[in-house]
Amino acid sequence: MTVTPYAEPMAHLLDQLVIVRVALQAAVARRGGGDEAARDLEVEQARLDAESRARAAVSAPAAVPLERLRGVFQLSPTEIGVLVLLAGLELDVKLREYARGVMADAARTAPDVGLLDEVLYVGTARGHMPEELGADGTLVQFGLIHVEPIADAAFALRRVRAVERVIDLLHGKDVLDRRVARFAELITARDRAELVLAPGAYEEIGGLLTAAVQISRTGTAHPVIVLSGPAGSGRTTLLAAAALPVGLRTLRVRGAALPRDEPSLRALGAILVREAVLWGALLLLDGVDQRPTDGAGHELDEIMFSWYPGPVAATAGRITGKPPQFARGVVVIELGIPDEPAREELWQRALPPAVAPTLARWAAERYFVTPGVIDQAAVAAIARAEARGAGAPALDAADVHEGLRGVLDAKLTTLGMRITWRQRWDDLVLPDEAALDVREFIARVKHRRRVFLEWGFGRKVAKGLGLSALFSGPPGTGKTMVAGLIATELKLDLYQIDLSKVVSKWVGETEKNLGELFDAAEAGHAILLFDEADSLFAKRTEVKSSNDRYANLEVNYLLQRMESFSGIVILTTNHDTAIDDAFRRRLSLRVEFPVPEPDERALLWRALLPPEAAIDPDLDFAALGDRFEMTGGYIKNAAVRAAFLAADEGTAIGMRHLVRAARAEYTAMGKVVSQL
């Protein structure tokens, strides 16, 4: 005899509703004393169920979603009956009439445990009801049904409903439960061939996931697999790709969006686990380090799914201290920024084929960025080039830089300000030794590829390959100006960090802010400038109070972060001796900016008067340099003041204007001019 498969879910559901209708009729007959009629109806129920099961066995899985529930959750026939009966009572008015006949009590207006017991748990199934409908039963634990938790009511009188997700699925609508859709999403895994990976990373994660699946089948939970690294380092992408060969999809849960209270987390946990089982997915808690530390006080997995042994993974940012804690333990794998050849390959893939390969190499050498940042920056660069229209210059380095700026600026502008510098090297007067140090700093940036990669010095440097310089000297000696000139020559952005926004009274917040800054600086598109850095990089003190302890923690964090730093940072200070000695050892360069000598001051006076200005040809710059012991900042102020004095008089800038302005600046400095 040929068995006709089901063509669509509704046909299968209608057959199941007929079966539960017969079961309800049998229950009504039993209640009325018609045992023989009840037995006949039970025989009819068994026949209809056998026919439906036979058709389902030859049907496409998408046409019989109820069988999917049966398989993935290992549901018994009575548990399947519970789901169909409860779904039918939501959809079929006739079934409700039969149900009222079974309950025979005007006060019982909604389906309850007693109804399910009387209709489905008959004969040999009688003793299974407490186990299957209890709090530890599969239906309740996985959130397939909702049993009303009324403390004062008898268990049999507790109302029961099928959840909306089950009803939708029986109708063929198979999407994430709307209650978790704002917290979670299914990730489409990328093929391994599309990934640029560190050696062994894919295999290691795949091995851990295989072990997690195998161990979960014994009812034992595997430790949470935690991938840490900077934003865009491919943590989620790598986990999803490695999960696919193991037979797992990936259900990404945004950790920062999860509720904070424990009851809400517990309720959400059951739904997430149900979705993970339905989809055959790895549960991925993305960004667990972004959750507030003052939550429930327990590990997240213990609150949400301590009873679930299936595979769980998590992602976190760069771990510099204690790793995220989970009740089932953790295995931490760190992902860093790809090396230069890998970055070059990523840029080549992200940029249009028509772009010259040299641009990808230039970007890889210049920017220490993660794969995710490369993808986003390339999209922005392409859009910028296309906006110029046909016949305009092709995509170039400026487009790439602007694309990166658009991706990374958000992190930097919240804690600092991008500044531009209009001065030129001709406007700067430095001692020869300091000028050579500055040139060395620039050379280190320009030739990092040759020295560290081609010449192999990268293997000899045990710690970070970053560049950090300390510019020390009195105010106005040109420290910030030199930082601006360096950024201009290297064609990098310069961000002046606002320490008042970085330093926080909340424990751990300062370290978080600093971490974001260093991550952005490592990208290579920016130089961080910490003016008056001695307030942040000061020497550690003897611990006499909790404030001392937390201040030292911040310094210790900075020291650890500098160990692996590969970006560019410039610190300026007026008090060189206040900088912690451990920081001084980690600096690439230390440049001293002394008060200029008389001849240097004369050059500054001359350089700070623009050629376009009306200037008296008889100016005595040597006399100005000799008489006024001022740094370049004060000389600049005096030159501007003199220009306004002359403009107001309608004359050229003369000696008397410069002397008067210099005297005013001298007074502002707290000095007295003895000779004029």
Side-chain angles (χ1 to χ4, degrees), residues 369 373 403-413 495 519-520 523-525:
V369 288
V373 172
L404 275 167
R405 177 186 288 171
V407 174
L408 298 171
D409 250 16
K411 293 181 180 179
L412 291 166
T413 52
Y495 287 83
D519 284 345
H525 90 296

Side-chain angles (χ1 to χ4, degrees), residues 115-301:
L115 171 67
L116 300 177
D117 184 33
E118 196 164 348
V119 174
L120 300 171
Y121 291 91
V122 296
T124 57
R126 168 79 47 195
H128 296 159
M129 185 274 288
E131 175 187 347
E132 292 186 351
L133 300 183
D136 294 331
T138 299
L139 295 176
V140 175
Q141 198 168 49
F142 283 95
L144 299 172
I145 65 172
H146 176 69
V147 180
E148 190 175 39
I150 304 176
D152 297 333
F155 181 59
L157 296 179
R158 293 186 181 181
R159 292 190 289 270
V160 188
R161 296 191 69 173
V163 299
E164 183 179 347
R165 174 72 164 99
V166 170
I167 296 174
D168 285 344
L169 184 62
L170 295 183
H171 281 82
K173 182 181 178 182
D174 191 12
V175 294
L176 278 178
D177 190 302
R178 61 183 179 83
R179 288 172 292 178
V180 302
R182 60 195 180 104
F183 302 111
E185 60 185 337
L186 285 165
I187 299 295
T188 301
R190 297 174 66 175
D191 188 84
R192 181 185 177 183
E194 300 178 28
L195 306 179
V196 178
L197 302 170
Y202 180 89
E203 291 74 16
E204 182 178 8
I205 295 171
L208 288 169
L209 289 173
T210 300
V213 171
Q214 292 174 345
I215 292 175
S216 69
R217 291 171 182 159
T218 68
T220 303
H222 185 275
V224 177
I225 304 166
V226 178
L227 263 64
S228 70
S233 56
R235 297 161 298 182
T236 300
T237 301
L238 181 52
L239 276 167
L244 201 59
V246 184
L248 295 173
R249 301 181 71 172
T250 300
L251 180 61
R252 172 179 174 259
V253 183
R254 293 181 290 278
L258 290 174
R260 295 176 60 174
D261 63 291
E262 188 168 329
S264 297
L265 284 173
R266 290 191 186 280
L268 185 61
I271 303 173
L272 287 171
V273 168
R274 183 192 67 212
E275 294 298 326
V277 174
L278 267 174
W279 294 101
L282 164 72
L283 264 175
L284 171 58
L285 300 174
D286 192 17
V288 291
D289 56 328
Q290 298 175 18
R291 288 185 52 77
T293 57
D294 58 343
H298 303 288
E299 286 81 358
L300 199 58
D301 62 327

